[in-house]
Amino acid sequence: TQSSPSGFTSDVADTVDASPEAAWKAILALPAWWSDAHTYSGKASNLVLEPRAGGCWCESWDGGSVQHARVVLVLPGRVLRLHGGLGPLQDLPAEGVLNIAVGVRDGKTRLRLHYRVAGAADLGLDKLAAPVDGVMATQFRRLKALIETGRPE
């Protein structure tokens, strides 16, 4: 939704055809909706999400492991907040905050992924905004599909 050399925001939201409870349950099933292509190991099944403050969104495989983000807030049924630099951001001195939220608006369940990234202007984060936004949009579509159909694709 905005970008500059010192940061950007990716914001994807839509209504989902399911209860807030079903949406929340799907969010916590993170390996089921994250795509294999956006993992270090090539397998989303290697991802683990510990939905508690201090918990890890981690990936482990034979010969390696990575912490994608750490959980800083869990408001069950409403908000999961993680801090971390996803993908190409992990190699940079930048901080990302990902909020995955569920709510009800006008009687409909609303799902939102909101990722804010900030760092020093010399990082040129605006050049990463479009690719990261594309990845976030893909993951959102997969999560929405999982919520509505039981399958991420």
Side-chain angles (χ1 to χ4, degrees), residues 11-23:
D11 193 23
V12 188
D14 200 0
T15 58
V16 292
D17 187 20
S19 69
E21 295 79 17

Side-chain angles (χ1 to χ4, degrees), residues 64-103:
S65 64
V66 62
Q67 176 181 294
H68 294 281
R70 71 186 179 287
V71 178
V72 296
L73 175 73
V74 179
L75 297 176
R78 294 180 26 218
V79 179
L80 176 66
R81 181 172 301 142
L82 304 115
H83 280 202
L86 302 178
L89 299 167
Q90 185 160 68
D91 192 38
L92 301 174
E95 181 66 26
V97 179
L98 174 62
N99 285 295
I100 307 173
V102 176

Side-chain angles (χ1 to χ4, degrees), residues 11 15 22 24 30 35 40 49 55 75 84 90 96 115 122-123 125 137 140-141 145:
D11 193 23
T15 58
W24 182 253
L30 181 112
S35 67
Y40 283 79
L49 175 66
L75 297 176
Q90 185 160 68
Y115 190 42
D122 67 340
L123 295 176
L125 292 171
F140 182 88
R141 284 190 300 272

Side-chain angles (χ1 to χ4, degrees), residues 8-67:
F8 61 87
T9 301
S10 175
D11 193 23
V12 188
D14 200 0
T15 58
V16 292
D17 187 20
S19 69
E21 295 79 17
W24 182 253
K25 184 177 177 182
I27 289 167
L28 297 184
L30 181 112
W33 55 271
W34 200 262
S35 67
D36 291 341
H38 296 286
T39 64
Y40 283 79
S41 67
K43 294 182 180 179
S45 61
N46 289 330
L47 296 171
V48 173
L49 175 66
E50 301 169 338
R52 59 174 176 74
C56 188
W57 171 11
C58 291
E59 179 179 356
S60 296
W61 64 96
D62 188 30
S65 64
V66 62
Q67 176 181 294

